[in-house]
């Protein structure tokens, strides 16, 4: 699926799915703010948002602990419950946070993110580099094909 189709699907009135994934081509990396503008999405840096939510003086992310995926899910819950200039967010730098999770925690994160945040106020498009197979394995691409966009804008 292309990104415009995914965004249109997420924005459908009454749509249950609130989170999709865009596997970005390499030439799009670092240009997420421009891409968000072209797609009429609100850009959001997940890493900055996550760090801002840590307690003052925290020295570690807390992602490597058991249930580290819950911390990322909490961030997504906050984002989906929020009100922004646009009804759909382009959430980038998610890959940097996923690197902090253990492999099994990543799968739990994806299952909960793509199945467990129904009918959100704000929809999310999470971006990842297209070849980040360690962060988003091919079997997940097959399972959640209806929520995955690939290719250029």
């Amino acid at each position: 699926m292309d990104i415009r189709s995914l965004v249109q699907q997420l924005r459908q009135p009454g749509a249950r799915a609130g989170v999709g994934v865009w596997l970005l081509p390499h030439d799009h990396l670092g240009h997420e703010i421009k891409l968000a503008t072209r797609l009429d999405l609100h850009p959001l840096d997940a890493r900055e948002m996550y760090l801002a939510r840590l307690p003052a003086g925290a020295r570690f992310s807390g992602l490597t602990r058991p249930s580290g995926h819950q911390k990322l899910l909490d961030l997504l819950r906050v984002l989906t419950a929020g009100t922004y200039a646009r009804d759909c967010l382009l959430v980038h730098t998610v890959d940097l946070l996923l690197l902090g999770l253990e492999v099994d925690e990543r799968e739990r994160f994806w299952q909960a993110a793509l199945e467990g945040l129904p009918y959100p106020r704000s929809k999310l498009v999470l971006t990842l580099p297209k070849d980040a197979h360690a962060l988003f394995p091919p079997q997940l691409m097959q399972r959640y094909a209806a929520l995955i966009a690939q290719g250029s804008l």
Side-chain angles (χ1 to χ4, degrees):
M1 168 182 325
D2 66 78
I3 184 57
R4 291 188 190 279
S5 297
L6 175 63
V7 171
Q8 183 178 21
Q9 175 182 308
L10 292 173
R11 283 181 161 156
Q12 288 296 315
R16 183 182 193 288
V19 179
V21 177
W22 184 13
L23 302 174
L24 288 176
H26 291 282
D27 61 337
H28 282 31
L29 297 173
H31 302 285
E32 290 86 355
I33 294 173
K34 290 178 188 175
L35 294 168
T37 301
R38 288 179 60 194
L39 291 165
D40 193 32
L41 305 177
H42 181 87
L44 193 130
D45 185 323
R47 182 187 56 84
E48 286 181 10
M49 184 75 159
Y50 183 81
L51 293 175
R53 292 174 42 83
L54 290 176
R59 294 180 40 209
F60 303 100
S61 69
L63 294 173
T64 56
R65 293 191 220 144
S67 298
H69 74 284
Q70 288 294 341
K71 291 186 180 285
L72 286 186
L73 287 173
D74 289 344
L75 174 63
L76 295 190
R77 285 184 189 100
V78 167
L79 296 177
T80 59
T83 303
Y84 305 91
R86 295 178 179 92
D87 64 343
C88 191
L89 284 66
L90 185 71
V91 184
H92 54 98
T93 66
V94 175
D95 52 324
L96 300 178
L97 296 172
L98 287 170
L99 286 169
L101 296 178
E102 298 293 332
V103 173
D104 62 324
E105 290 280 301
R106 290 177 196 153
E107 186 158 342
R108 287 187 202 117
F109 167 77
W110 285 118
Q111 181 176 2
L114 297 173
E115 295 177 12
L117 297 169
Y119 308 107
R121 174 182 293 149
S122 295
K123 311 294 182 154
L124 308 179
V125 175
L126 309 179
T127 65
L128 291 174
K130 72 174 184 174
D131 57 358
H133 302 296
L135 303 178
F136 198 78
Q139 66 267 25
L140 291 179
M141 288 179 58
Q142 292 172 352
R143 186 183 316 160
Y144 299 110
L147 298 172
I148 311 299
Q150 298 186 59
S152 298
L153 179 59

